[in-house]
């Protein structure tokens, strides 16, 4: 019929748009609304093993959020490749706020400077919040290392070059990079043994399989207090009020500072409303005395704050650790 094709064009356009929208929603890409969030369980992926501070902090915060939200907050440990496996899973998840990543620095600000090929772009995650910071610390097995101070250890290492074994939480972790920073600044050499996380590395240190380690104080402090390990120094800028007799690394090596932190990010393109809501609710969790007491037991200092504070801090951390990687000429395959 003459003129019928033009008359059908608006109908076809509407059908095409409707089909596109149905396909979009069917694949789980329906935009989440902050007012409705969350209306089901929220999964927080931790890309490191259970038993370390990276696992403990999101469990403390997640437990409070589950009560705030009246929805389960499930912690899933998805380990491997210095945090890359868990990070990649979250990166490719739906940007609806129901799958989040809680991680220390490696997959967020370090690994893209170390690994030639990643299945995700860490710069495209949506930063939500840094929950807390824990200073790294130099700890030794007292049966293997008799040094009682950083200067004594450096002196020992200069006479035992490349024979002292250093455990780390894994390649590219802050534990690893802090040990590299120490070797650069102290002009000593250590043999590096990477483990898959803090807990197994500490087990190796306690057993005497390795000699020294830079680890955050969250879990290792209890082993020090039990007499199984010796704490030589903390890598914070100042001495910790809770450990006033423990010197800083900077007292021997001026400018030495290394802090582990634990952040939450969302998949790329997660809506600002959802990101802001999670940020606000985690900040509320961090203000709770019970949560603060639990974090204090892990030697964790609260960070918190708005999303832009987290974004700025993460950008600064990229620069900090990139400089260490370049100076130490670290290359991973």
């Amino acid at each position: 019929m003459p003129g019928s094709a033009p008359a059908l064009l608006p109908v076809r356009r509407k059908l095409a748009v409707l089909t596109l929208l149905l396909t979009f929603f069917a694949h789980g890409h329906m935009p989440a609304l902050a007012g409705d969030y969350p209306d089901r369980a929220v999964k927080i992926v931790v890309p490191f093993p259970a038993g370390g501070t990276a696992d403990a902090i999101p469990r403390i915060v997640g437990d409070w959020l589950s009560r705030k939200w009246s929805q389960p907050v499930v912690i899933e440990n998805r380990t491997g490749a210095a945090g890359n496996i868990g990070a990649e899973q979250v990166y490719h998840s739906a940007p609806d706020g129901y799958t989040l990543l809680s991680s220390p620095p490696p997959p967020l600000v370090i690994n893209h400077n170390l690994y030639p090929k990643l299945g995700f772009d860490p710069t495209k995650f949506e930063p939500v919040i840094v929950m807390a910071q824990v200073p790294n610390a130099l700890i030794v097995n007292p049966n293997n290392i008799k040094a009682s101070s950083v200067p004594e250890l450096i002196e020992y290492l200069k006479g035992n070059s490349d024979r002292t074994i250093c455990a780390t939480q894994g390649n590219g972790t802050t534990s690893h990079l802090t040990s590299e920073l120490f070797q650069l600044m102290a002009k000593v050499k250590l043999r590096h043994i990477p483990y898959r996380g803090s807990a197994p590395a500490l087990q190796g240190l306690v057993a005497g399989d390795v000699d020294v380690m830079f680890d955050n104080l969250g879990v290792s402090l209890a082993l020090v207090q039990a007499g199984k390990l010796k704490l030589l120094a903390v890598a914070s800028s100042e001495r910790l009020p809770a450990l006033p007799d423990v010197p800083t690394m900077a007292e021997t090596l001026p400018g030495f500072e290394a802090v582990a932190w634990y952040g939450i990010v969302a998949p790329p393109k997660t809506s600002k409303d959802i990101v802001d809501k999670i940020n606000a609710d985690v900040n509320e969790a961090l203000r709770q005395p019970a949560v603060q007491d639990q974090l204090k037991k892990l030697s964790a200092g609260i960070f918190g704050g708005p999303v832009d504070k987290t974004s700025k801090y993460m950008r600064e951390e990229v620069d900090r650790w990139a400089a260490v990687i370049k100076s130490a000429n670290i290359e991973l395959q």
Side-chain angles (χ1 to χ4, degrees), residues 13-307:
R13 289 195 187 101
K14 290 178 182 178
L15 287 173
V17 171
L18 181 60
T19 301
L20 180 62
L21 288 173
L22 288 173
T23 302
F24 190 68
F25 295 156
H27 284 81
H29 296 299
M30 184 174 181
L33 300 176
D36 301 326
Y37 176 90
D39 60 8
R40 61 181 189 273
V42 175
K43 179 169 67 176
I44 300 179
V45 174
V46 174
F48 292 94
T53 311
D55 176 73
I57 288 179
R59 287 187 186 275
I60 292 168
V61 173
D63 181 62
W64 189 89
L65 289 175
S66 68
R67 296 192 295 274
K68 163 79 175 178
W69 290 340
S70 299
Q71 298 292 343
V73 176
V74 180
I75 305 297
E76 177 182 299
N77 297 94
R78 182 87 170 168
T79 66
N84 292 337
I85 291 176
E88 183 174 349
Q89 175 190 342
V90 175
Y91 184 85
H92 294 291
S93 297
D96 55 11
Y98 289 94
T99 303
L100 305 170
L101 179 71
S102 175
S103 179
L108 300 178
V109 300
I110 293 174
N111 290 355
H112 59 294
N113 288 314
L114 283 174
Y115 291 83
K117 293 182 181 178
L118 290 178
F120 64 98
D121 181 352
T123 66
K124 292 184 178 179
F125 278 117
E126 301 293 343
V128 177
I129 193 169
V130 171
M131 296 173 286
Q133 298 171 310
V134 181
N136 282 316
L138 175 56
I139 50 179
V140 301
N141 180 301
N143 298 318
N144 295 6
I145 301 292
K146 301 305 180 184
S148 297
S149 66
V150 177
E152 286 182 14
L153 177 64
I154 292 173
E155 189 65 28
Y156 171 80
L157 293 175
K158 286 183 175 178
N160 294 271
S161 180
D162 217 19
R163 286 189 290 178
T164 303
I165 304 173
C166 180
T168 72
Q169 300 159 356
N171 287 322
T173 59
T174 55
S175 173
H176 175 205
L177 297 186
T178 303
S179 73
E180 294 287 351
L181 181 62
F182 171 68
Q183 292 174 79
L184 281 171
M185 295 184 70
K187 297 180 173 58
V188 296
K189 289 294 294 180
L190 297 167
R191 288 175 56 197
H192 175 213
I193 302 295
Y195 285 77
R196 294 187 65 174
S198 182
L202 287 171
Q203 290 172 6
L205 185 60
V206 170
D209 298 332
V210 294
D211 305 311
V212 304
M213 181 180 178
F214 281 93
D215 188 39
N216 64 72
L217 282 175
V219 176
S220 56
L221 184 58
L223 297 171
V224 170
Q225 293 168 337
K228 296 180 179 179
L229 298 174
K230 184 186 292 184
L231 171 61
L232 298 189
V234 293
S236 49
S237 59
E238 299 178 351
R239 292 195 182 197
L240 301 179
L243 301 168
D245 296 329
V246 179
T248 66
M249 292 292 298
E251 290 174 37
T252 301
L253 302 170
F256 193 108
E257 185 176 352
V259 176
W261 49 265
Y262 305 91
I264 295 176
V265 299
K269 300 183 180 179
T270 301
S271 75
K272 185 178 184 300
D273 287 347
I274 292 296
V275 169
D276 287 345
K277 177 170 175 53
I278 300 169
N279 173 275
D281 290 347
V282 173
N283 271 308
E284 185 178 349
L286 297 175
R287 291 192 293 269
Q288 305 307 307
V291 171
Q292 292 178 353
D293 287 345
Q294 288 178 286
L295 293 177
K296 186 176 180 181
K297 291 176 182 177
L298 295 172
S299 301
I302 292 170
F303 191 87
V307 173

